[in-house]
Amino acid sequence: GLVWGGDIVVDSASNIARMFGVGETLIGLTIVSIGTTLPEMVATLSATFRKQSDIAVGNIIGSNIFNILCVLGVSVSINPISKLSIFAFPQGLMMDMLVMLIATVMLFAVTAKYKRVTRTFGVVFLVYYASYLVFKIIVSV
């Protein structure tokens, strides 16, 4: 049900966004990313409510590692990137990668120092993501 519901949400929201002239990059960074993350979010929240925080953090980190290594690996295997250089990426993508790197370092620093992620840090991460989305919307307009 989650996969089917996620597909409907992503397809419908993407079509509506395209009707309003929203760019494909912004759609991918918001609607598609949220829709494809819903099953992981439900599993992480379920583990958190059951006081299994290791599973929750492992799910988040494992998902990111899988998405970066496996999805990128399969994509590049099908259609190779002709120039693999920092300068070959579009400027907007470099900003997105920088935001992702900062978030990863923040999560690593918090878990390494405090051995847990509290609600306060959760709010910090949500504000960071919201700020990123606002920035992307302003830049795309």
Side-chain angles (χ1 to χ4, degrees), residues 6-24 26-28 30-32:
D7 283 343
I8 290 174
V9 168
V10 168
D11 291 343
S12 301
S14 297
N15 289 334
I16 292 169
R18 281 188 198 96
M19 286 181 359
F20 284 103
V22 176
E24 295 294 322
L26 189 58
I27 290 172
T30 56
I31 298 168
V32 175

Side-chain angles (χ1 to χ4, degrees), residues 48-101:
T48 301
F49 288 133
R50 293 185 180 136
K51 307 286 188 216
Q52 297 173 338
S53 58
D54 290 346
I55 291 175
V57 173
N59 183 38
I60 295 166
I61 294 172
S63 171
N64 286 330
I65 290 171
F66 177 81
N67 286 335
I68 291 169
L69 298 178
C70 186
V71 173
L72 181 63
V74 169
S75 300
V76 172
S77 296
I78 294 170
N79 188 13
I81 298 173
S82 59
K83 294 180 182 178
L84 192 57
S85 164
I86 280 185
F87 304 109
F89 289 109
Q91 190 64 29
L93 185 59
M94 287 300 297
M95 176 59 84
D96 300 333
M97 291 173 56
L98 179 63
V99 167
M100 184 177 69
L101 179 65

Side-chain angles (χ1 to χ4, degrees), residues 1-3 6 34-50 52 55-56 59-60:
L2 283 174
V3 173
I34 290 169
T36 57
T37 303
L38 285 175
E40 296 168 14
M41 195 178 327
V42 169
T44 301
L45 288 172
S46 176
T48 301
F49 288 133
R50 293 185 180 136
Q52 297 173 338
I55 291 175
N59 183 38
I60 295 166

